[in-house]
Amino acid sequence: MTTTESTTAQSFADLGLSASLLKTLSDIGYESPSPIQAECIPILLQGRDLIGQAQTGTGKTAAFALPLMEQIDVKLTKPQALVLTPTRELAIQVAEALQSYAKNLPGFHVLPIYGGQSYTIQLKQLSRGAHIIVGTPGRVMDHLERKTLNLDNLKTLVLDEADEMLRMGFIDDVEWILERTPATHQTALFSATMPEQIRRVAQKYLVEPREIKIKSATSTVEAIRQVYWQVSGMHKLDALTRILEVEKDFDAAIIFVRTKNATVELADKLAARGYAAAALNGDLNQQMRERVIDQLKSGALDIVIATDVAARGIDVPRVSHVVNYDIPYDTEAYVHRIGRTGRAGRTGNAILFVAPREIRMLRTIERATRSPIAPLTLPSRADVTNKRVADFKEKVAEVLNAEGLDFFSNIVSQISEEHDVGVEEVAAALCMLAQESKPLQIAGEDPAPARAYPAASDSRRPAAFGERDRKPREERSERPRFEDRGDKPRFEERSDKPRFEDRGERPRREERPTRSAPTGDMVRYRIDVGRDHGVQVKDIVGAIANEAGIESRFIGRIALYDESSTVELPAGMPKEADNALKRTRVRGVPINLRPDEGRPDGDDRGNFKKRKFGDR
Ligand code: AMP
């Protein structure tokens, strides 16, 4: 294996992508490749195998998706590429990304297949023909076994988030699939970490792979206060305006986003909310770019929304704040971005927005910059109101000392007399009038506080359930949702995934390690897979969470026996989840879920010892 460590920034045109794909990227608003893209795309275009060590947020999806698009023969309506992902959520995301890159490829079809979705629909879609299949291992395996998925024309196989597949107990399924793919195909493996088992899989199934690892430069960032807000419960735009309003010492800000389209969108939205804001992106010629920077310097603009490339080298001392509205691809970009503030001996402020699935990137940044980034509590409505009232009072106080108030005092007296009300009431009415264009009280609700994540240094940090994709409701795509009430178990399309405590911390008894016991009524079910099938607790959690969309924290105790197991699930499971579970397989064995009626001797409650349990 050859390892490349690089931080190169090139243009997409240098990477060997076709003109049509370049146009699509420009339409989408991508300005330049992220480091992982710059390295991986040329290698994959050559048809070589590849190991990419990259996590979510680095742009890894496009790193493999763009070369895939170049390989597809649209006339051949057979699967030519297969992407395996650990969760249905990721399968859908990857399929959506592929579809967006196929804008100029009429007739292109990508099909996500994952557990929990009806077989009838999937069979219909498969028979219609798709060029790329994106799926979770279990369901792909099922279709291969049923011969409803044929991989004879496969050119490329991608293993996305391989370490997650390992954690979720899918690695055997992945190997099973790898063994049934045609001998000659390209394989790309992406993983945030490289545990030994993943290395072993890579050595066994990849042919002379190039290994790409993006270097994390360590740099120190001093004189900059660094904080992050974990995106939850509120739109980023609303959060941004709340923060900007309440931030102390705010003078001017550069806000970083990923695409040039986003610079324009955000600039328009901020301008509509009364901010002096403008976009700075690669579409601007040198003269226009300089104009924007001059305006920021002079105070004609207070906020510039920029992409990384466009903001390179900006040196404007009055920039008191940098906001990473979209998280950067790597630590180097982060350091460069926040270096736009704290200039000329002033202190700067760097605010980072982190989606739950990007928490890992946050920790990488903290490690690389050797500085902790503190969580920021979003200003409440009351905070914003108090700040507005304080500013308002200050303005009034200034006017109290001004000349020529007599004329206005007279008017107040007249109103007071004409309406037979006190001067205080008149003043209140005038205050109300004065704030009409920008009300002192803001509308909307305060979101519930987000769960704080322990710092990177805390190695005992429970691998948080649902770090991925707990986007605020409004940011999620519309998915079926069966129930949605507070703390009660939610049965929904899977939006997070089970994770497990460190191996060393696994409970001795074969119970499922839960961080907090599920509350509410639980029902115990029996399933027909047990230790004799080579099944582990994590396999059962993974299958149930994926197939029925039950958040893993709501899966209760699991007891493994030789030929069967029991699992506790929340009472009142919707029919869809129940049906999905009836069809679920673990390690290829149908689980045949049904309520547990207990052992014939009535003595199996809470007994987790290895024991024989005959079929009921
Ligand atoms: P990923 O790391 O693949 O999950 O990508 C994270 C986000 O970055 C996605 O929203 C992508 O659309 C976006 N993205 C990926 N590559 C680029 C690029 N070259 N320019 C701008 N945005 C990108």
Side-chain angles (χ1 to χ4, degrees):
M1 292 179 199
T2 40
T3 306
T4 308
E5 292 205 338
S6 170
T7 54
T8 20
Q10 296 164 311
S11 80
F12 277 114
D14 298 331
L15 305 180
L17 296 170
S18 65
S20 125
L21 206 47
L22 291 178
K23 179 169 181 314
T24 304
L25 294 176
S26 165
D27 291 347
I28 298 175
Y30 288 10
E31 262 182 0
S32 55
S34 72
I36 191 87
Q37 293 164 2
E39 290 299 332
C40 293
I41 291 173
I43 296 168
L44 290 174
L45 286 176
Q46 285 165 19
R48 291 194 58 167
D49 282 4
L50 177 133
I51 299 175
Q53 208 172 326
Q55 60 203 27
T56 300
T58 52
K60 70 175 162 59
T61 312
F64 65 76
L66 298 174
L68 280 189
M69 300 309 300
E70 296 286 18
Q71 287 173 7
I72 298 304
D73 174 1
V74 185
K75 281 183 242 96
L76 179 67
T77 46
K78 300 255 161 68
Q80 296 160 51
L82 170 67
V83 182
L84 291 179
T85 66
T87 61
R88 70 167 82 175
E89 191 70 32
L90 187 59
I92 293 167
Q93 266 176 36
V94 170
E96 282 171 356
L98 281 158
Q99 199 62 58
S100 72
Y101 303 138
K103 256 181 85 186
N104 294 314
L105 201 61
F108 170 80
H109 275 297
V110 55
L111 180 62
I113 54 174
Y114 44 81
Q117 198 192 28
S118 124
Y119 273 99
T120 327
I121 295 174
Q122 281 177 4
L123 290 175
K124 209 184 273 173
Q125 288 169 326
L126 278 167
S127 64
R128 235 182 267 146
H131 300 100
I132 301 184
I133 306 289
V134 187
T136 47
R139 194 48 78 94
V140 168
M141 213 171 128
D142 269 3
H143 281 290
L144 286 173
E145 265 186 336
R146 295 166 174 230
K147 305 215 181 314
T148 40
L149 173 63
N150 180 324
L151 296 179
D152 288 350
N153 292 282
L154 192 82
K155 290 185 211 153
T156 304
L157 178 77
V158 179
L159 307 178
D160 194 11
E161 301 201 351
D163 50 353
E164 285 304 318
M165 294 204 263
L166 175 71
R167 274 161 88 106
M168 292 179 69
F170 296 150
I171 205 69
D172 293 342
D173 297 355
V174 170
E175 285 202 57
W176 188 96
I177 295 166
L178 280 164
E179 268 156 22
R180 280 156 189 83
T181 47
T184 53
H185 70 261
Q186 178 183 29
T187 311
L189 182 154
F190 286 86
S191 199
T193 56
M194 275 295 155
E196 193 40 48
Q197 279 150 294
I198 298 294
R199 285 230 164 264
R200 190 184 53 74
V201 169
Q203 266 153 11
K204 191 163 166 199
Y205 297 98
L206 273 63
V207 183
E208 293 179 21
R210 286 283 305 278
E211 193 167 343
I212 300 298
K213 188 175 171 185
I214 301 302
K215 193 174 82 187
S216 296
T218 26
S219 350
T220 42
V221 274
E222 280 152 17
I224 297 176
R225 163 186 156 248
Q226 297 178 72
V227 291
Y228 77 91
W229 175 61
Q230 190 201 307
V231 179
S232 77
M234 184 185 267
H235 276 302
K236 285 209 252 185
L237 177 65
D238 291 329
L240 174 70
T241 50
R242 274 199 195 192
I243 292 169
L244 290 184
E245 227 181 290
V246 173
E247 272 294 292
K248 286 199 190 78
D249 312 319
F250 179 83
D251 196 354
I254 299 182
I255 299 178
F256 284 93
V257 294
R258 285 216 159 154
T259 65
K260 56 188 178 193
N261 299 357
T263 62
V264 177
E265 250 169 56
L266 191 53
D268 288 350
K269 284 185 180 150
L270 287 172
R273 292 184 181 210
Y275 288 95
L280 186 71
N281 62 45
D283 279 354
L284 268 55
N285 64 28
Q286 190 54 22
Q287 201 188 349
M288 289 151 84
R289 180 176 184 274
E290 275 165 21
R291 220 179 118 231
V292 171
I293 295 171
D294 284 345
Q295 286 177 322
L296 187 64
K297 271 186 192 151
S298 70
L301 281 176
D302 289 329
I303 299 181
V304 162
I305 301 95
T307 53
D308 288 290
V309 178
R312 210 163 274 164
I314 294 184
D315 185 3
V316 177
R318 70 178 278 261
V319 172
S320 56
H321 284 72
V322 161
V323 181
N324 288 283
Y325 194 80
D326 292 337
I327 200 163
Y329 299 120
D330 57 13
T331 52
E332 227 148 316
Y334 177 80
V335 171
H336 179 266
R337 285 177 177 191
I338 71 169
R340 302 308 99 211
T341 180
R343 301 188 78 83
R346 305 186 191 193
T347 35
N349 299 276
I351 298 168
L352 174 64
F353 282 6
V354 185
R357 61 199 287 266
E358 294 160 348
I359 287 288
R360 211 176 197 158
M361 178 63 98
L362 166 71
R363 300 306 170 205
T364 308
I365 293 171
E366 283 184 316
R367 270 193 299 272
T369 56
R370 298 209 186 96
S371 53
I373 303 179
L376 172 82
T377 310
L378 200 65
S380 64
R381 287 172 60 206
D383 292 336
V384 177
T385 301
N386 291 344
K387 174 76 172 31
R388 288 186 185 179
V389 170
D391 290 350
F392 184 74
K393 282 184 185 166
E394 212 171 287
K395 265 197 205 155
V396 175
E398 274 170 32
V399 180
L400 281 178
N401 297 323
E403 304 260 310
L405 271 188
D406 294 351
F407 174 76
F408 298 99
S409 301
N410 226 343
I411 298 179
V412 172
S413 306
Q414 284 170 20
I415 299 174
S416 163
E417 270 169 36
E418 283 163 19
H419 294 272
D420 195 18
V421 289
V423 170
E424 206 167 282
E425 274 166 277
V426 178
L430 292 173
C431 282
M432 202 166 169
L433 261 184
Q435 53 99 64
E436 247 175 7
S437 62
K438 189 178 181 189
L440 293 175
Q441 289 163 297
I442 61 167
E445 295 293 315
D446 280 334
R451 201 153 47 88
Y453 289 86
S457 56
D458 184 357
S459 59
R460 290 183 55 250
R461 178 169 88 96
F465 289 83
E467 276 188 359
R468 171 203 303 283
D469 292 333
R470 282 265 172 83
K471 293 182 193 160
R473 179 83 32 85
E474 57 272 34
E475 284 198 15
R476 281 195 209 153
S477 54
E478 276 305 305
R479 300 270 154 69
R481 180 177 289 270
F482 304 111
E483 192 183 335
D484 188 357
R485 273 186 293 134
D487 246 340
K488 279 255 196 144
R490 275 206 315 250
F491 300 96
E492 58 179 355
E493 289 264 347
R494 189 165 160 63
S495 65
D496 71 3
K497 58 186 188 252
R499 299 202 178 192
F500 304 91
E501 314 290 347
D502 286 344
R503 260 155 215 281
E505 291 178 8
R506 287 182 67 118
R508 247 176 291 128
R509 291 198 305 180
E510 286 175 308
E511 291 173 63
R512 183 181 160 253
T514 40
R515 290 184 309 139
S516 56
T519 50
D521 293 340
M522 302 294 281
V523 175
R524 197 150 54 133
Y525 291 88
R526 173 107 16 208
I527 55 177
D528 284 347
V529 287
R531 273 189 294 247
D532 288 354
H533 303 99
V535 163
Q536 296 177 27
V537 168
K538 63 180 182 181
D539 301 327
I540 297 173
V541 176
I544 291 176
N546 251 350
E547 294 287 328
I550 298 178
E551 285 189 44
S552 53
R553 66 194 162 108
F554 293 121
I555 300 174
R557 293 203 307 178
I558 291 176
L560 287 185
Y561 298 87
D562 288 347
E563 293 165 11
S564 68
S565 306
T566 58
V567 51
E568 291 175 354
L569 297 173
M573 219 165 14
K575 210 160 175 294
E576 293 87 337
D578 197 37
N579 287 341
L581 282 174
K582 289 210 169 89
R583 292 189 306 265
T584 298
R585 287 159 180 249
V586 175
R587 295 201 167 215
V589 182
I591 64 171
N592 185 24
L593 178 103
R594 71 263 176 200
D596 181 39
E597 283 161 12
R599 278 174 50 81
D601 59 9
D603 181 31
D604 65 339
R605 274 195 81 85
N607 189 341
F608 294 91
K609 277 198 305 243
K610 182 178 164 108
R611 57 201 302 182
K612 271 275 174 210
F613 182 80
D615 276 341
R616 297 166 52 243

